[in-house]
Each structure stands twice: as C-alpha cells, then as structure tokens.
Amino acid sequence: GDKARKAAGASEDPAEDLAMLLKVEGGRMRRWVARELAQPCQLDAGPERQVSFHDIRPFVVSYRTDVSRREALMRFLDMLGASTIMRHPPTSRYRRSFVDAFALPSLHLPTEWRERLSLERREGSRAACGRQALFAARSALHGLLAWPRDSKLCEVLVEALWAHDRGDPKLPRVALQASDDPRLFCTYAHGLWVAGHHDSARTVLHKLCMAPTAGCTLDARIAVNWWLLEFRAGAGCISSPYIRMPPRAFRILHGLAMGTLNENTGSDQTLGPETGTQRLQAISRLSALLPQQSRSDGGGFRRLLSSYQAVVVAVCALVAEAFPQRAWDFFTREAPSSDTRAIEAKDAGVRAHDEEIRCWAMAAVIIVELLAASRRAPPRLLRIATAAALERDPSNSWLIRMLAATQLCCGTVASMRRNLDHVMMLHQPQSLFDSRRRWIVGALRIAIEAELACGEKCSFERLIHLLERVAESNGGSGSSPFTGVAVWRMYHAVLLLQAQS
C-alpha cells in the first residue's frame, strides 16, 4: 500500500489526498472544501477570521416561493432534532434516510438492555450538542416572523424553550401567546409533566379536554395523550382488583366516553366494583363516536394522534383489560393496510394521507405498549403486534428492541435472529426490495446488542457475517453517505469484542 501511494505521487497526509481528489472532481462546493482542507489548522492564531458576505455569496440561494423557504427552514430544524420531521410519514424515503444518517452507532452492554428498552421510546436516537435547543429556538423565531400562524414552528419553539431552560416554565408560557391552538398547549403540558409538575400539567390538560371538537364533546386527541401519560406513570402498580389500569387513566377514558370530566378525574382513589360495568359502557359509547371523528387533525404534532385514531386507541385500551386478542383484532379491522401505496391511489390530499399514515403508525406503537403491559397477552400475540407495527414504522428502534426482548425472554434465540434479519431485509431479493421499509444502522445496532445479550449462545461468527453482508449490500449505504461509516465502526467494535472474549 505504501509503495502504491508513493508511485501515485500521493502524500502521507490523508487530508491532502482528499483535497487533491476534491479538486479533480470539480464543482464550486468541492473546490471550497478542498481549499478549507488545504489550509493548516491554527488553533492559537488569535481571533477567528470574520466571514464576509463575499465569502458565502456563491452558496446563497434565492428562493422564489414561500413554500421553498419554509421547506428549507424545516429541513434545518430536522437536523437540529426538532419535531418537524414528523410531517413526513415513517415510511417516507426522506425520513428513513434522515434517521439512518443520524443513528448513533455506539453499542450498549447486555447489562443495560432493560434500561435501554424502558428509555428508548422514539425512533433514531440523536446526539445533542450543547446549544442545539438554542439554535432551534432562534430558527423557529425567525420563521415565525414570516409565518406567524405556523403551528409546527410554534411547537418547535415551545419544545426548544423547555429544553433550553431545563424545566423552567416561564419562557415556554410566553411562547404560548403566539397561537391559541390547543395542540400547542398540549405540548406545553407535556413539558410540565416531564419537568415533574404533574399537578400543573393535569390542570392544563383538563381545561384543554373540555374544549369541544367536531363530533365529540371532549377533545379526544388531548384526552388520549393525557391518558398515555397517566398510563406510563402508573404502569406496573396494581391498585384495584377489578382493573389493572391506573385509576386516573381509567377515569380519563371513561370521562371521554361519557362526554365530561369531573373533579374526581384526577383523583388517585382506588377503583370500585362498578368499574367493570363502566368499562363496558365506555367501550360501547366510544365505538359509536368513531364515524364522527377526523382521521387527519393531528397536525403533525409529535405526541398527538388524530381524533379517529385516538378513539380507536381508547377502545383498544379498555378491551385489552380483559381480552387482549379482541383488542388487537379491533385495531386491525379499523386500521387500513400497511401498504401505503394502495391508500395513496385513493386519497387525493397528500398531506391528509401522510398525516393518517403517521397517526396509524403511532397508534400501532401504543397498542404494542398496551399489550406488553398486559399480563393476559400471550407472547405470540405480542410478537405478531410488534411485527405488524414495524410494517408501519420500520425505523422505530423501540419496536425492534421490544421484538428482540420478547424472544430473549422466551429463549427463542433462533427465531429472534430470523426476525431481526427480516427487519433488515438482508435475505430479500433485489427484485422484491422496498427501500422505504429498510433501516440499517439502528436495526443492526440492536441486532448486535441482542446477540451479545444471549450469553453463552452468542455467536460472533454470525455478527461478523451479518456486518459484512450489510457492508457489501447496495442498500447498506444507499440511503445516506454516512451509513457506511457507522456500519464499519460497529464492525470494528465486534472484532474487538471477539478478541477480548
């Protein structure tokens, strides 16, 4: 290799070789990168050089329409980890490539498996920089000057202010003056909940739920979001022999069905023997509300379902208390096929179509969480539901980890390996390949961690073969130019673990 480099006239500095390559390739951007690489790094050269407009003028783009300007801002916020990425359905190529490019290739030890399963709720973990929230807040403010009623920018601003002030509600409360959208106030209430102000969050959510919407005297979107917070907070704590759902969570769903929330909704008192009758009554009334609900009024907010999907989740939560299989059957009857191409041909509104896909994918994740918390759900049903939810949201790392953890608990290691290979589509012919449903880096990281958690059954030979197969496949780095680097980093980590075992 050294002789070949000398024969080709290459220098010993890799940066100089890269600069020469970029110069040969041509292009204004490539030449600029080549000049920056060729300059020596001077950390102690005094104050930083001021960048003038003349320096950046070749890269300034003049947008002709507001749509282009807004999309450029949204994509910049996507890079900062904002909730604007939710405007795309989970199976879209942009969102899948974006999540794959920013997936963290770091591996976690088997002792951290349960902790990761409880913390990893969303797809694609992101590495946050120190001033990331501040950049997002400033960008959202600049955008609101041009589009003062943009709900997505308002949501980004509220979330960024919560992250920047570390739980101080003063600045996020000021940002609420930009809009009177109840979905924005729900984002503020979620920030209160995460900061530990549960009672204040319950007060805000109670007032929001009482605002009537079309087809329902209560806002089903806000009510189900509140129910999910209470359900997760009280999961595993059985306070009543009649129902396993936390008391506050059950009272929220019962109030949604009855059309009113009284003062006892936020009470944590033990549920009585009338709970069974109330549950059946709520199921009947919620089912009757379905035809009147909207399927695409979630607005792309990160934590909100549309009204129709919210009512479906509420019915499934009540049915799953006694019959998990019936709850899953009801969800599969109401939810359309996961083949989004068949739906797209019938729906004229692209935005409504994308929003419906996003809400159904989010609802499927909640159903899997319901079944996982239910002691009456058999492991086979949980595996089927998780696999079906992955068809709708293939980049959801929590679902992939749940699928692997379920089979690890059952001891079916061979089945776990087969299912993880199916998620990554490594053995599928190229003629049947669907690039929208493939997620490489995150799924590969979870597959490695699951294999390491197998203990004595761990096969380093399989991991090495798996990583080599991903590195050689065309799809391994087809979604993003950064994917291949992450794959090779994990490959070297596995070789190091094999040498130390």
Side-chain angles (χ1 to χ4, degrees):
D2 295 338
K3 294 181 179 180
R5 289 171 58 86
K6 293 180 180 180
S11 62
E12 297 181 357
D13 188 3
E16 295 183 7
D17 294 342
L18 182 58
M20 294 176 58
L21 178 62
L22 290 172
K23 287 181 180 179
V24 173
E25 292 291 336
R28 190 164 50 189
M29 177 65 77
R30 292 180 181 272
R31 289 196 297 270
W32 177 79
V33 174
R35 290 197 302 270
E36 292 295 324
L37 287 174
Q39 293 179 359
C41 182
Q42 300 178 358
L43 298 179
D44 300 329
E48 296 182 359
R49 181 174 63 90
Q50 297 293 331
V51 180
S52 63
F53 181 78
H54 178 74
D55 296 332
I56 64 174
R57 184 175 182 179
F59 311 107
V60 175
V61 179
S62 177
Y63 296 105
R64 298 182 178 180
T65 62
D66 283 345
V67 176
S68 301
R69 295 188 185 95
R70 183 178 180 276
E71 182 62 23
L73 176 61
M74 291 294 178
R75 296 198 176 192
F76 178 70
L77 291 173
D78 292 343
M79 295 175 59
L80 295 177
S83 60
T84 49
I85 192 67
M86 302 298 289
R87 71 189 186 277
H88 298 281
T91 53
S92 66
R93 180 163 185 167
Y94 172 79
R95 182 169 172 179
R96 177 185 55 83
S97 303
F98 186 88
V99 173
D100 219 351
F102 285 91
L104 297 178
S106 58
L107 300 177
H108 297 271
L109 298 176
T111 55
E112 303 175 357
W113 180 265
R114 294 185 180 275
E115 181 182 357
R116 293 295 302 172
L117 182 61
S118 60
L119 294 179
E120 195 167 316
R121 292 280 182 186
R122 301 307 304 169
E123 74 282 353
S125 301
R126 294 288 308 280
C129 63
R131 305 182 67 186
Q132 178 175 325
L134 183 59
F135 291 152
R138 288 180 176 178
S139 303
L141 282 173
H142 292 164
L144 287 172
L145 293 177
W147 305 282
R149 293 295 180 182
D150 194 300
S151 59
K152 290 299 300 177
L153 294 178
C154 292
E155 182 191 15
V156 172
L157 178 60
V158 173
E159 290 184 345
L161 292 177
W162 271 117
H164 178 63
D165 289 345
R166 297 181 180 180
D168 187 2
K170 294 181 180 180
L171 278 180
R173 191 184 302 118
V174 174
L176 295 177
Q177 301 176 5
S179 174
D180 56 354
D181 193 334
R183 299 171 298 187
L184 184 63
F185 282 82
C186 183
T187 303
Y188 172 75
H190 189 276
L192 286 174
W193 187 278
V194 174
H197 309 297
H198 291 182
D199 293 336
S200 300
R202 292 185 181 109
T203 302
V204 175
L205 291 170
H206 186 275
K207 294 180 180 179
L208 293 176
C209 288
M210 297 305 294
T213 57
C216 188
T217 55
L218 296 181
D219 195 331
R221 304 167 301 174
I222 309 297
V224 171
N225 180 264
W226 184 11
W227 163 82
L228 187 60
L229 292 176
E230 299 286 359
F231 178 79
R232 289 173 175 172
C237 301
I238 303 176
S239 58
S240 174
Y242 307 101
I243 192 170
R244 295 182 179 273
M245 190 181 297
R248 290 193 182 99
F250 176 79
R251 290 190 175 99
I252 292 171
L253 295 185
H254 183 261
L256 175 63
M258 297 297 107
T260 180
L261 295 176
N262 51 34
E263 298 178 354
N264 295 329
T265 303
S267 174
D268 199 22
Q269 296 179 358
T270 305
L271 298 172
E274 71 280 358
T275 304
T277 305
Q278 293 177 350
R279 185 179 68 85
L280 296 177
Q281 186 182 20
I283 292 173
S284 177
R285 294 206 175 190
L286 288 174
S287 301
L289 291 176
L290 279 175
Q292 308 169 17
Q293 306 302 315
S294 172
R295 295 173 179 261
S296 57
D297 59 348
F301 279 68
R302 188 200 297 266
R303 299 175 184 88
L304 282 184
L305 294 167
S306 296
S307 300
Y308 190 92
Q309 289 84 359
V311 176
V312 169
V313 169
V315 174
C316 292
L318 294 171
V319 175
E321 284 294 322
F323 306 101
Q325 182 65 55
R326 292 184 183 179
W328 175 247
D329 294 340
F330 176 81
F331 178 79
T332 53
R333 286 197 307 267
E334 294 295 332
S337 171
S338 59
D339 188 358
T340 58
R341 293 167 294 183
I343 305 174
E344 189 174 4
K346 301 178 182 179
D347 199 332
V350 177
R351 292 186 179 180
H353 160 255
D354 292 345
E355 176 64 13
E356 185 177 354
I357 294 176
R358 182 193 72 86
C359 291
W360 281 121
M362 184 176 172
V365 177
I366 297 176
I367 298 301
V368 172
E369 190 174 350
L370 271 173
L371 298 177
S374 175
R375 296 186 178 182
R376 299 187 179 184
R380 179 177 177 275
L381 176 61
L382 184 57
R383 290 196 298 269
I384 292 175
T386 306
L390 279 171
E391 291 292 324
R392 301 181 183 275
D393 193 355
S395 301
N396 194 308
S397 58
W398 183 82
L399 286 176
I400 303 176
R401 194 177 295 275
M402 173 61 71
L403 181 64
T406 303
Q407 295 182 323
L408 277 176
C409 294
C410 298
T412 54
V413 177
S415 179
M416 179 198 70
R417 294 169 178 170
R418 182 174 63 252
N419 290 334
L420 290 176
D421 292 348
H422 176 73
V423 169
M424 292 183 286
M425 295 184 178
L426 295 179
H427 307 296
Q428 189 170 1
Q430 290 291 331
S431 59
L432 302 177
F433 178 71
D434 187 1
S435 61
R436 300 175 305 167
R437 301 184 179 277
R438 192 175 191 186
W439 188 46
I440 291 297
V441 176
L444 184 61
R445 175 171 60 90
I446 296 174
I448 296 174
E449 295 175 1
E451 188 69 30
L452 295 176
C454 292
E456 297 179 354
K457 298 182 180 180
C458 175
S459 174
F460 285 100
E461 290 77 10
R462 177 185 180 275
L463 291 179
I464 294 174
H465 175 73
L466 186 66
L467 287 159
E468 292 175 350
R469 179 70 179 270
V470 172
E472 294 173 358
S473 66
N474 294 329
S477 58
S479 60
S480 170
F482 307 101
T483 304
V485 178
V487 171
W488 283 108
R489 284 184 60 183
M490 288 187 284
Y491 181 59
H492 294 158
V494 170
L495 291 178
L496 179 62
L497 291 174
Q498 184 189 29
Q500 294 178 351
S501 63

